[in-house]
Amino acid sequence: REGDAAKAAAAAAERRDALLVLGVKPDATPIAIKAAWRKLSRQHHPDRQPQSDAAALAAAAARFDAVQK
């Protein structure tokens, strides 16, 4: 059962990483997690960024991708 324990540990680490990206506490409710995800998704969505600077648009797209994962 070492494989199951390793999978569980990896899933827990991935969840902690996702919560860190979203900026919520580890004991956050699903509603708080969803609200944080929506807020960051809207904030960093490439369509909501100024089109004048290609570098800023690429950076916003990278942040949006990080939030989506």
Side-chain angles (χ1 to χ4, degrees):
R1 299 272 182 215
E2 287 181 28
D4 292 339
K7 286 180 185 178
E14 186 175 318
R15 177 173 163 76
R16 280 191 302 273
D17 291 344
L19 295 178
L20 181 65
V21 168
L22 294 176
V24 295
K25 295 180 180 179
D27 60 346
T29 65
I31 293 170
I33 294 169
K34 187 174 184 177
W37 177 81
R38 285 185 177 191
K39 178 182 176 186
L40 288 175
S41 292
R42 282 191 305 267
Q43 181 180 353
H44 297 299
H45 196 281
D47 290 344
R48 296 188 53 116
Q49 304 304 315
Q51 301 296 323
S52 61
D53 187 9
L57 186 60
R63 288 189 306 267
F64 180 73
D65 288 341
V67 170
Q68 296 304 310
K69 292 181 181 181

